[in-house]
C-alpha cells in the first residue's frame, strides 16, 4: 500500500458495523415490541415504566444486531456471488469477519444482560430467542421456506416485550407476535423475488426460486391478509379502542397500496414497498396504539 493511499482515512469500524447490520431497520420490529410492552403496562397498573421500556429497547436492538451480524457472516460467500449484495461490507473488506464476530458477540452480551435485568423468565427464555436467529441464515440452504424461520424469529419481539413487563406468559402477546411474524415473512417473500435468477444459479432455496415470482407475490398477499386478521383478533382480545382500530384501517390501506405497486411482472418498486411502506406500517400502528392506550387511561 502506498503512503498516499495509507493516508486516506478508512471508514471507522463502528460505522462499518452499523452499515453491516442495517441498524435503521429496527423500525420494522421495535414498534410492535413497544405495543406489547405498553399494553402489558396498561393491564398491570396503567403506568409507563420508562426503565423497563429502555431495557426492552436494549434487548430488541441487541438481539436484532446479533442476528443481522450472524446473517451477514454466514451468508458472505453467497453475498459475494449475488450482484445485488456484492457490495456488502464483509464482501468488499470494509469489515473483517473477526470484527463482525466481535460486534455480534458484544450485541449478544448486551441482549442477555438487559434480559437479566428485566426478570428471571426473560433471562431463562433469552437463549431460546437466539436459536432461530442463528438457524435462519442456514434456512435457505435446506428449505424452500426460509421466510417461515424469519417469521418465527420476528414473532418473538412482541412476546418478549410483554414478558419483560408482566413476567408471565400471555396468549395476547402470541397473537401480536404471530401477526408480526407473518407480516415480515410476507414482505420478505416479495423482497426475495429480486434474486430469483441468481438464487437458482447458485442453489439458494426460496419460495420465488422454487415456485416462481407470481406464487411468491400471491403468497405475500395471503400472508398480509392473515396478518390483518391476526391484528383484528389481537384488538378484540385486548379490548382495544377507537384509535387502535383506526390504526388497523391505516395498516390495511398500506397493505393494499403495497400490493398495488408490486406485481409479478413489475418489481421496479420493491424497495419502496419493502422499506417505505413497511416502515410506515410499524410506526403508524404504534402511534395509534399509544394514543389508544393514553386515551383509555395509560399514565405517562
Amino acid at each position: 500500500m502506498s503512503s498516499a493511499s495509507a493516508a486516506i482515512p478508512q471508514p471507522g469500524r463502528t460505522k462499518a458495523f452499523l452499515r453491516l447490520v442495517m441498524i435503521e431497520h429496527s423500525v420494522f420490529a421495535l414498534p410492535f415490541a413497544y405495543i406489547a410492552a405498553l399494553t402489558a403496562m396498561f393491564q398491570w397498573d396503567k403506568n409507563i415504566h420508562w426503565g423497563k421500556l429502555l431495557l426492552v429497547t436494549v434487548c430488541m436492538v441487541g438481539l436484532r444486531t446479533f442476528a443481522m451480524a450472524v446473517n451477514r457472516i454466514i451468508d458472505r460467500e453467497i453475498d459475494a456471488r449475488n450482484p445485488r449484495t456484492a457490495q456488502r461490507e464483509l464482501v468488499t473488506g470494509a469489515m473483517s469477519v473477526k470484527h463482525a464476530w466481535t460486534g455480534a458477540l458484544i450485541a449478544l452480551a448486551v441482549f442477555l444482560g438487559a434480559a437479566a435485568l428485566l426478570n428471571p423468565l426473560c433471562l431463562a427464555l433469552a437463549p431460546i430467542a437466539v436459536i432461530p436467529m442463528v438457524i435462519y441464515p442456514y434456512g435457505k440452504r435446506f428449505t424452500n421456506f426460509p421466510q417461515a424461520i424469519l417469521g418465527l424469529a420476528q414473532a418473538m419481539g412482541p412476546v418478549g416485550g410483554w414478558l419483560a413487563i408482566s413476567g408471565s406468559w400471555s396468549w395476547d402477546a402470541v397473537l401480536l407476535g404471530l401477526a408480526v411474524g407473518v407480516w415480515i415473512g410476507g414482505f420478505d417473500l416479495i423482497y426475495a423475488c429480486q434474486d430469483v435468477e441468481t438464487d437458482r444459479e447458485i442453489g439458494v432455496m426460496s419460495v420465488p426460486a422454487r415456485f416462481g415470482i407470481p406464487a411468491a407475490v400471491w403468497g405475500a398477499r395471503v400472508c398480509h391478509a392473515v396478518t390483518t386478521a391476526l391484528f383484528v383478533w389481537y384488538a378484540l382480545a385486548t379490548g382495544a379502542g377507537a384509535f387502535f382500530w383506526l390504526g388497523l384501517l391505516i395498516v390495511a390501506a398500506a397493505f393494499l397500496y403495497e400490493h398495488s405497486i408490486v406485481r409479478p411482472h413489475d418489481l421496479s418498486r420493491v424497495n419502496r414497498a419493502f422499506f417505505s411502506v413497511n416502515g410506515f406500517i410499524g410506526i403508524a400502528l404504534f402511534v395509534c396504539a399509544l394514543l389508544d392506550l393514553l386515551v383509555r387511561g395509560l399514565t405517562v
Side-chain angles (χ1 to χ4, degrees), residues 57-268:
T57 305
V58 172
C59 277
M60 287 292 295
V61 174
L63 182 57
R64 188 202 165 278
T65 299
F66 167 78
M68 281 295 295
V70 169
N71 188 313
R72 294 291 190 255
I73 292 168
I74 293 171
D75 279 352
R76 64 190 185 278
E77 293 182 3
I78 290 176
D79 288 344
R81 300 173 66 185
N82 185 334
R84 185 180 64 80
T85 58
Q87 295 304 309
R88 286 178 175 170
E89 288 72 16
L90 288 175
V91 178
T92 63
M95 166 70 61
S96 69
V97 174
K98 176 183 177 181
H99 290 134
W101 271 119
T102 299
L105 293 177
I106 290 173
L108 179 62
V110 168
F111 164 66
L112 294 174
L117 291 173
L118 281 165
N119 57 60
L121 183 59
C122 282
L123 179 60
L125 296 179
I128 297 176
V130 173
I131 294 173
M133 309 299 176
V134 178
I135 293 176
Y136 168 64
Y138 291 106
K140 61 180 70 71
R141 294 163 170 84
F142 64 81
T143 176
N144 290 312
F145 304 96
Q147 285 79 20
I149 305 173
L150 176 64
L152 175 63
Q154 297 294 332
M156 294 189 179
V159 176
W162 197 296
L163 290 176
I165 307 305
S166 68
S168 59
W169 187 258
S170 167
W171 289 108
D172 292 345
V174 172
L175 283 175
L176 185 59
L178 286 173
V180 172
V182 175
W183 166 54
I184 292 179
F187 73 67
D188 197 59
L189 282 175
I190 297 174
Y191 197 67
C193 289
Q194 300 176 100
D195 300 324
V196 168
E197 296 305 322
T198 302
D199 286 351
R200 288 171 176 168
E201 181 181 337
I202 65 180
V204 170
M205 302 173 74
S206 71
V207 169
R210 173 63 179 82
F211 302 103
I213 292 176
V217 171
W218 276 103
R221 291 172 179 172
V222 171
C223 284
H224 291 161
V226 171
T227 297
T228 304
L230 287 169
F231 279 146
V232 168
W233 191 356
Y234 172 79
L236 293 171
T238 57
F243 276 108
F244 192 89
W245 287 103
L246 174 63
L248 292 190
L249 288 176
I250 294 172
V251 168
F255 280 148
L256 290 174
Y257 173 71
E258 178 177 4
H259 290 286
S260 73
I261 65 173
V262 176
R263 299 179 181 277
H265 303 294
D266 181 8
L267 301 177
S268 61

Side-chain angles (χ1 to χ4, degrees), residues 261-294:
I261 65 173
V262 176
R263 299 179 181 277
H265 303 294
D266 181 8
L267 301 177
S268 61
R269 291 178 286 184
V270 163
N271 283 333
R272 183 192 299 179
F274 185 83
F275 298 110
S276 301
V277 178
N278 288 298
F280 168 78
I281 285 172
I283 294 171
L285 190 58
F286 166 69
V287 170
C288 289
L290 176 60
L291 287 173
D292 185 62
L293 290 170
L294 291 173

